[in-house]
Amino acid sequence: MQNIHSHVWNQDEHFTPQMIAEAQIARGGEPVDLTVRFDALMQDVEPFEKVVIFGLKARLSGVWVPDEYVAALAAQDDKLYGFASCDPTQPDYVEELHDALEDLGLCGLKMGPIYAGFDPRDPRCDVAYRYCEDHGLPIVFHTGTTFNQAAPLGVSRPWLFDEVAIRHPELRMVLAHVGHPFSGECLAVIRKHPHVYADISAIFYRPWQFYNTMILAQEYGVTHKLLFGTDYPFARGQESIDGLRHVNAVIGTATLPRVSEEVIEGILTRDAFALLGIAE
Ligand SMILES: [Zn+2]
């Protein structure tokens, strides 16, 4: 099993107090300690052979995890693959990104348009897209809603990535959380573009939405484009696996369509690293 969406950060160093306070509504009021401790992370990733870890850079929302921090953690265990992050609204972002991808051994990129307040079609992003496309590096985008008051929902919509994929057909992209709650839009985008995928991280704990998203993916025939991720520390590894295996529990004995066993195990066994071209 692989996990292509796990976070590393320290809330006291990398978040503003407002961001920490707002994050507490991420899981419906369950308190979340955002600080990821290395031992706890390694325990959480026990079920997985390969794990992508990243922070996030988004000045607007008060998150800034340096690439060096991610690289240092990734260097501590062979199963961890670190991704850089960038905020294209910041003037020196291109230089920082080149340093991260060329000198720190990071093997992909994480971007959060809603957190940083930019449209994914913004021309300022083109340098990052072109670089990743030319070097075969995947980009994981946060898509769909979030808890921050300042984060503009307008730039969270999955359909915006259709234009990015048309302009950059070889760029490997992952639209995180199947664009929750705009999963229909997200599935429409991944269906069109051979190199655009979605990850199912952090949806299982909204069981009705998760079930409907999976059924919709099945009806559109795009379940082969769904990748497994957890969004740790917002969701844990084993509970995410269990949540997927129990996706049909929400309908009980009702005569409704079911997510097939084949689809569920397909997601859990998919070689996402190969599909995204993540280098060893
Ligand atoms: Zn995330």
Side-chain angles (χ1 to χ4, degrees), residues 7-265:
H7 289 282
V8 289
W9 44 38
N10 180 315
Q11 69 175 26
D12 301 323
E13 285 173 51
H14 304 141
F15 291 77
T16 59
Q18 185 172 355
M19 173 71 183
I20 296 168
E22 288 184 334
Q24 303 311 313
I25 66 166
R27 278 194 71 165
E30 245 176 78
V32 185
D33 177 7
L34 292 173
T35 297
V36 172
R37 289 161 188 87
F38 186 73
D39 292 349
L41 170 71
M42 292 318 293
Q43 210 178 328
D44 191 75
V45 299
E46 187 95 46
F48 309 104
E49 283 120 51
K50 293 179 177 183
V51 180
V52 170
I53 57 168
F54 40 68
L56 181 67
K57 286 183 187 170
R59 204 52 95 189
L60 176 73
S61 296
V63 188
W64 202 266
V65 184
D67 298 310
E68 291 79 5
Y69 181 86
V70 178
L73 283 172
Q76 288 187 51
D77 195 288
D78 283 348
K79 73 159 78 168
L80 303 178
Y81 292 73
F83 275 24
S85 184
C86 74
D87 177 347
T89 69
Q90 299 301 301
D92 43 4
Y93 106 85
V94 174
E95 204 173 282
E96 232 176 78
L97 183 62
H98 284 159
D99 289 349
L101 296 173
E102 280 155 25
D103 305 333
L104 296 175
L106 298 170
C107 50
L109 182 60
K110 164 75 190 223
M111 294 172 80
I114 186 173
Y115 290 107
F118 66 88
D119 188 312
R121 302 168 301 175
D122 188 319
R124 287 176 295 182
C125 299
D126 278 341
V127 183
Y129 297 163
R130 214 173 311 118
Y131 186 93
C132 288
E133 191 177 26
D134 291 349
H135 292 81
L137 301 168
I139 308 181
V140 175
F141 293 92
H142 177 94
T143 60
T145 190
T146 185
F147 44 79
N148 309 72
Q149 196 177 354
L153 274 168
V155 296
S156 78
R157 304 300 296 255
W159 68 266
L160 301 171
F161 293 89
D162 183 37
E163 271 179 58
V164 178
I166 289 168
R167 291 208 307 258
H168 300 277
E170 291 304 316
L171 179 60
R172 267 68 178 164
M173 295 195 273
V174 179
L175 309 183
H177 320 301
V178 200
H180 81 117
F182 314 115
S183 53
E185 270 178 34
C186 182
L187 297 170
V189 175
I190 67 172
R191 185 165 79 127
K192 288 182 66 184
H193 300 290
H195 300 311
V196 184
Y197 299 85
D199 83 39
I200 63 157
S201 64
I203 327 179
F204 77 88
Y205 55 79
R206 297 186 181 100
W208 180 242
Q209 175 173 224
F210 187 39
Y211 164 78
N212 279 277
T213 296
M214 294 293 291
I215 292 295
L216 201 56
Q218 211 167 251
E219 288 181 345
Y220 274 110
V222 292
T223 54
H224 62 291
K225 306 293 287 293
L226 299 180
L227 310 178
F228 192 81
T230 61
D231 204 23
Y232 183 78
F234 295 106
R236 291 174 292 280
Q238 192 58 50
E239 67 171 351
S240 300
I241 297 167
D242 297 343
L244 175 57
R245 288 208 165 115
H246 296 129
V247 61
N248 293 307
V250 70
I251 59 167
T253 56
T255 49
L256 287 166
R258 291 184 171 261
V259 181
S260 80
E261 221 39 54
E262 200 186 330
V263 162
I264 292 169
E265 294 310 312

